Amino acid sequence: DMALQTILGHRPTRAERPSMKLLMAWLQEQTKSYQTLYAKVFVNEAPDVDQAAKQKRWLEFLTAEGFEYLCKPRLTPGSDVDEDMLAYLELFRTQHYITEVIVASNDGQCFNYPLEVIAKAGILVTVIGFEQRPSVLTRNPLFRFIPLPSIPGVLRSLPTVPTTEEAPQPST
């Protein structure tokens, strides 16, 4: 939400957020030649009761669409789920045979080095993000970058900004 909020200039509405159902369909199409797709969302727990109730419904929806999730509270102002995501990626890299890692993030500070380690091990690293908010992840030559707005139908509304690469289209 933070990258999208920066682009839009306001907190995204439900209509402005990515369609996770269509993102899952795209992920399944992209990975259909693989034996298994693991799709996991890492999210910080909403800080208040009303937001937490909405978040719980969203996480239930994600589960129904085939995503797993990790949701945990911020224990300190600087705490985040980033470390959990990195631990999860490291576990998979060292204990499972993986062909590709797809990360939807613009957080280059946190993820660039760990994703470089994965890429240098011969695993395809795909980063989904926003060209409108470039980071080291969107420019790293070791990664395949796909602009989120170029994935068909995933974003229903976003200010028009030309993209340099179109996402692979699902076959019909």
Side-chain angles (χ1 to χ4, degrees):
D1 260 12
M2 289 182 68
L4 190 53
Q5 182 172 333
T6 300
I7 294 165
L8 296 172
H10 61 271
R11 187 176 177 143
T13 64
R14 185 175 185 180
E16 292 169 324
R17 286 191 172 93
S19 165
M20 299 303 280
K21 182 176 187 167
L22 292 175
L23 180 59
M24 176 56 85
W26 181 84
L27 287 169
Q28 289 169 335
E29 179 65 28
Q30 296 305 300
T31 61
K32 67 182 175 187
S33 65
Y34 304 158
Q35 187 175 15
T36 307
L37 166 64
Y38 293 99
K40 191 162 190 166
V41 174
F42 294 80
V43 63
N44 292 305
E45 190 174 285
D48 67 55
V49 175
D50 289 336
Q51 288 179 336
K54 291 176 186 174
Q55 186 178 54
K56 182 179 183 208
R57 288 190 301 273
W58 180 68
L59 293 171
E60 289 168 352
F61 167 76
L62 289 178
T63 302
E65 292 303 323
F67 289 93
E68 295 178 12
Y69 69 86
L70 172 72
C71 180
K72 73 180 221 181
R74 289 183 189 266
L75 301 176
T76 63
S79 69
D80 202 349
V81 294
D82 293 351
E83 291 302 318
D84 296 283
M85 184 174 169
L86 292 172
Y88 181 79
L89 288 172
E90 182 63 13
L91 175 74
F92 262 76
R93 186 184 74 78
T94 59
Q95 296 186 8
H96 300 276
Y97 175 77
I98 55 176
T99 307
E100 181 177 10
V101 171
I102 302 173
V103 176
S105 177
N106 271 65
D107 191 348
Q109 238 178 345
C110 181
F111 297 116
N112 190 60
Y113 177 74
L115 291 176
E116 281 185 346
V117 170
I118 292 169
K120 288 176 180 175
I123 298 165
L124 175 62
V125 173
T126 299
V127 174
I128 300 171
F130 294 98
E131 287 179 317
Q132 299 91 327
R133 189 163 183 246
S135 76
V136 67
L137 295 180
T138 63
R139 297 182 303 270
N140 192 319
L142 294 174
F143 310 150
R144 176 175 75 143
F145 174 68
I146 297 178
L148 184 63
S150 71
I151 300 173
V154 170
L155 281 177
R156 295 168 289 271
S157 67
L158 187 68
T160 305
V161 175
T163 59
T164 57
E165 179 183 342
E166 288 297 315
Q169 302 294 311
S171 56
T172 52

